[in-house]
DNA sequence: ACAACATTTGCAATCGGTTGTGTAAAAATA
DNA sequence: TATTTTTACACAACCGATTGCAAATGTTGT
């Protein structure tokens, strides 16, 4: 396997007896270069198999035409769809995406943020680690005019772009839906440790919906989970069913939890939705395949990714103070399916 | 928001009255630099908030400490787990991953390969697009000593690293399992258009298992799908059930397809597994949540990602001819669950 | 005290595009 | 024809880390 050398603009320049600056400009249709030269340069570039070295360009221009994505994990359906949305949008502008997983660890997140900075990414899109309480490791981006967008799991105290759904409203709508189906004792699962606003907002929507319909907010119907996993969901469901006065409905802030509750109910002979109506969150693929289908709240992952990427591009030049605090809210819908349809 | 300048080794050099070369070497514990200087340099680097510019290092060293991943889409559970495995392994060596989605389009794949090359990735891990028949766009990597590893959907005619499972054996084992459960007429779904070997191998395992057990291979029990989606699965299942002599078992080369078949059967009042036993492939999360649980073949996504990444690292220096043809086979297992357990 | 060698650090070129400024030739104007 | 303006390209510095080689300093032996 012989060692080829990369073809550079110097090679093209030499072949055509032009300066490298001319080649560089010709390749990007600079107006000071004649049509004729441009055509000639592009032609030979193609012939010689020239592929620009983005590292060189990036070094000179001090940014790399890549977007850094920093998220807890890519294996969650919501997050992989989010990434997909970002990647597709980025590619349209010929940007690449670098992906890093914090695995919900604060320390990892700090480390990875540094690595992204080291890679001189043009922008950063982040969904915070569960553990993260302090966000000062993101200052290096803001301080250097690198656009920073938080998505979904956003900090409450950072003055930068945020792309979220209205979690309060979503929680409200989900709960209201259950109430309208006739539920009187609606349970809710929430995150135990959370610095951000996501689960708290959903919970706030839940309680407000209850109060608004003259239903009491009962603390033993609200369970804090350590992790949002199937297993934890089963545990919590069993706990709920073991109560003296078990719930007749559940608003789960994730479809996996909803599935776990539905299946636990079925195992215990509790009829879904008649005795126990459930609504989940996210519209994960599983929610419409499981039987009964899980009612859920849409969570437009790809759209959020697209919106986040577009915010990056809009602010590549410089970030104005007022814009930086902008919050983009995307819409959610209640998808009524079998798991909650009593009426 | 004031504009800070990035801290460089020049800044450190100036502060300490040392040469940049010394700084550079000190930061990576070069043996020609004294302990004392190293400590001093690292200390001030930290104080000044120095973050190395990987673009500069990459330009000089002609590679970027990143691994390029080129796959059809990241939203499939198998592929997102694969990426996760790669990312975790890469990070241990302080490498980043760049991800690109071909969306199963050949043209995209060609384009993205060029973009990866342009980014001077240190290595490439690829799972081919469904459409891809010609793989010459990967020559640019081989020709320039950039390690290239194909995973799962690998070309049949390219002399480079491949990380796969033994699809033939997996197909054989899956089919044999159904036979052992007493199935006599086992259907099979396969990919219509495929350049690679993946589905063909599974099918070959399927037919060999049948033949070995003196069961006929019937062409109307083998259905070619355009896409491996739920909807296509439903269509195919209905078609199978409409046969004069419908099957009593199915080997589906993907869990989504298995799920679609199971649910279609249930809708038509066909008892699973008694009248119709099903085994899927991949061990996607859904397979163990759906009811009945889907028997499946494990497909060790993360492990494959890890293996692929390790192959990259092992061959960063140079790729020897003999090694390049190496195929890594990972093991699969039959996971027997409800959907196929007759006995 | 001086050669011989080891240890540490500095110098300067290098990677490959990008871009501000300079300049020659061609075109336009006086 | 002389002069200004425009067009088209060249020169060279630059981005920031790396590295071969030279040089300075320190150490050892005789």
């Amino acid at each position: 396997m012989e060692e080829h050398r990369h073809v550079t603009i110097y090679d093209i320049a030499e072949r055509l007896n032009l300066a490298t600056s001319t080649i560089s400009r010709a390749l990007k249709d600079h107006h000071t270069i004649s049509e004729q030269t441009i055509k000639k340069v592009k032609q030979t570039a193609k012939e010689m198999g020239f592929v620009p070295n983005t590292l060189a360009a990036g070094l000179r221009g001090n940014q790399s035409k890549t977007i850094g994505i920093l998220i807890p994990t890519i294996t969650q359906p919501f997050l992989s769809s989010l990434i997909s949305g970002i990647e597709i949008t980025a590619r349209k502008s010929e940007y690449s995406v670098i992906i890093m997983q914090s695995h919900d660890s604060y320390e990892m997140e700090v480390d990875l943020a540094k690595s992204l900075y080291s890679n001189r990414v043009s922008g950063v899109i982040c969904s915070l680690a569960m553990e993260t309480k302090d966000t000062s490791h993101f200052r290096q981006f803001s301080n250097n005019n690198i656009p920073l967008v938080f998505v979904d799991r956003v900090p409450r105290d950072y003055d930068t772009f945020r792309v979220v759904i209205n979690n309060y409203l979503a929680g409200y709508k989900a709960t209201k839906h259950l109430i309208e189906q006739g539920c009187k004792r609606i349970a809710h699962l929430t995150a135990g440790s959370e610095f951000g606003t996501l689960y708290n907002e959903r919970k706030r929507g839940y309680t407000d919906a209850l109060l608004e319909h003259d239903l009491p907010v009962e603390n033993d119907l609200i369970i804090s989970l350590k992790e949002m996993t199937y297993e934890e969901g089963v545990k919590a469901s069993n706990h709920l069913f073991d109560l003296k006065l078990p719930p007749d409905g559940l608003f789960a802030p994730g479809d996996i939890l909803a599935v776990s509750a539905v299946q636990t109910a079925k195992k215990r002979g509790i009829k879904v939705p008649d005795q126990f109506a459930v609504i989940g969150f996210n519209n994960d693929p599983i929610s419409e395949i499981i039987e009964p289908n899980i009612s859920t709240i849409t969570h437009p992952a790809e759209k959020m990714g697209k919106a986040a990427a577009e915010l990056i591009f809009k602010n590549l030049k410089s970030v104005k103070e007022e814009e930086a605090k902008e919050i983009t809210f995307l819409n959610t819908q209640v998808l009524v399916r079998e798991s909650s349809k009593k009426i």
Side-chain angles (χ1 to χ4, degrees), chain A:
Chain A
M1 205 168 293
E2 71 200 289
E3 177 94 17
H4 298 225
R5 270 262 290 78
H6 305 277
V7 179
T8 72
I9 57 170
Y10 289 90
D11 301 326
I12 304 177
E14 193 176 9
R15 174 95 85 95
L16 293 177
N17 237 318
L18 288 172
T20 60
S21 54
T22 306
I23 308 299
S24 173
R25 291 187 170 110
L27 287 172
K28 36 188 53 178
D29 297 304
H30 197 278
H31 68 277
T32 65
I33 308 294
S34 67
E35 277 298 328
Q36 199 184 331
T37 309
I38 289 182
K39 196 185 288 180
K40 201 167 54 181
V41 168
K42 286 189 175 173
Q43 170 68 17
T44 20
K46 199 170 197 176
E47 277 173 26
M48 300 178 71
F50 170 74
V51 179
N53 184 329
T54 54
L55 297 179
L59 175 58
R60 173 62 217 246
N62 203 48
Q63 61 142 291
S64 62
K65 290 195 73 160
T66 59
I67 292 182
I69 303 180
L70 181 38
I71 52 177
T73 166
I74 80 165
T75 50
Q76 279 174 34
F78 171 74
L79 289 173
S80 67
S81 296
L82 179 82
I83 298 173
S84 184
I86 297 171
E87 199 269 342
I88 291 170
T89 311
R91 198 107 295 290
K92 283 183 189 151
S93 304
E94 303 200 287
Y95 272 61
S96 302
V97 302
I98 288 188
I99 297 182
M100 305 190 175
Q101 308 184 80
S102 70
H103 297 287
D104 274 320
S105 143
Y106 168 70
E107 272 185 48
M108 282 284 289
E109 195 177 87
V110 173
D111 240 42
L112 297 175
K114 198 194 263 185
S115 177
L116 285 177
Y117 181 70
S118 186
N119 274 287
R120 295 297 186 270
V121 291
S122 310
V124 173
I125 296 175
C126 173
S127 190
L128 286 176
M130 204 70 151
E131 273 184 26
T132 300
K133 292 186 175 31
D134 173 77
T135 53
S136 55
H137 48 299
F138 290 103
R139 285 287 160 208
Q140 56 193 317
F141 302 115
S142 322
N143 289 341
N144 287 288
N145 250 315
I146 297 170
L148 169 63
V149 179
F150 285 104
V151 180
D152 198 47
R153 222 135 89 190
V154 306
R156 52 170 59 142
D157 63 343
Y158 202 110
D159 55 329
T160 187
F161 299 99
R162 272 163 280 187
V163 174
V164 290
I165 55 171
N166 188 329
N167 282 293
Y168 169 77
L169 189 58
Y172 176 85
K173 287 195 290 191
T175 310
K176 186 174 177 194
H177 163 68
L178 292 179
I179 296 171
E180 283 167 359
Q181 298 297 310
C183 295
K184 299 286 178 206
R185 295 178 54 73
I186 300 172
H188 178 53
L189 306 179
T190 188
S193 67
E194 202 216 356
F195 172 64
T197 60
L198 200 155
Y199 295 107
N200 279 321
E201 284 294 286
R202 291 182 193 172
K203 180 171 153 192
R204 212 162 59 75
Y206 156 82
T207 52
D208 275 12
L210 292 183
L211 294 175
E212 196 171 289
H213 293 80
D214 297 320
L215 291 172
V217 175
E218 296 187 39
N219 280 330
D220 36 333
L221 293 183
I222 300 176
I223 300 190
S224 290
L225 304 185
K226 262 175 295 198
E227 292 176 298
M228 303 313 234
T229 61
Y230 185 88
E231 290 71 27
E232 289 288 307
V234 170
K235 242 190 259 175
S237 307
N238 274 318
H239 178 77
L240 286 171
F241 294 136
D242 285 338
L243 288 178
K244 243 181 279 179
L245 289 171
D248 59 359
L250 170 70
F251 164 40
D255 284 332
I256 287 289
L257 298 177
V259 168
S260 73
V262 165
Q263 295 193 329
T264 308
K266 279 170 78 177
K267 258 183 207 131
R268 295 175 70 130
I270 297 167
K271 294 261 177 298
V272 175
D274 300 331
Q275 296 173 269
F276 185 61
V278 176
I279 186 164
F281 213 108
N282 283 359
N283 193 21
D284 281 348
I286 198 170
S287 66
E288 58 175 338
I289 288 181
I290 209 87
E291 288 164 329
N293 294 169
I294 308 287
S295 298
T296 194
I297 303 289
T298 58
H299 199 179
E302 273 214 29
K303 267 192 200 162
M304 291 174 83
K306 190 180 171 214
E310 281 167 355
L311 274 174
I312 298 281
F313 287 123
K314 221 176 285 175
N315 291 280
L316 274 184
K317 302 300 167 200
S318 73
V319 183
K320 293 168 209 130
E321 276 283 3
E322 8 33 294
E323 279 180 358
K325 290 172 185 168
E326 181 183 305
I327 300 190
T328 308
F329 284 104
L330 296 201
N331 285 327
T332 59
Q333 285 174 262
V334 178
L335 289 188
V336 179
R337 293 201 276 236
E338 295 162 13
S339 73
S340 70
K341 197 159 28 184
K342 292 193 182 189
I343 308 176

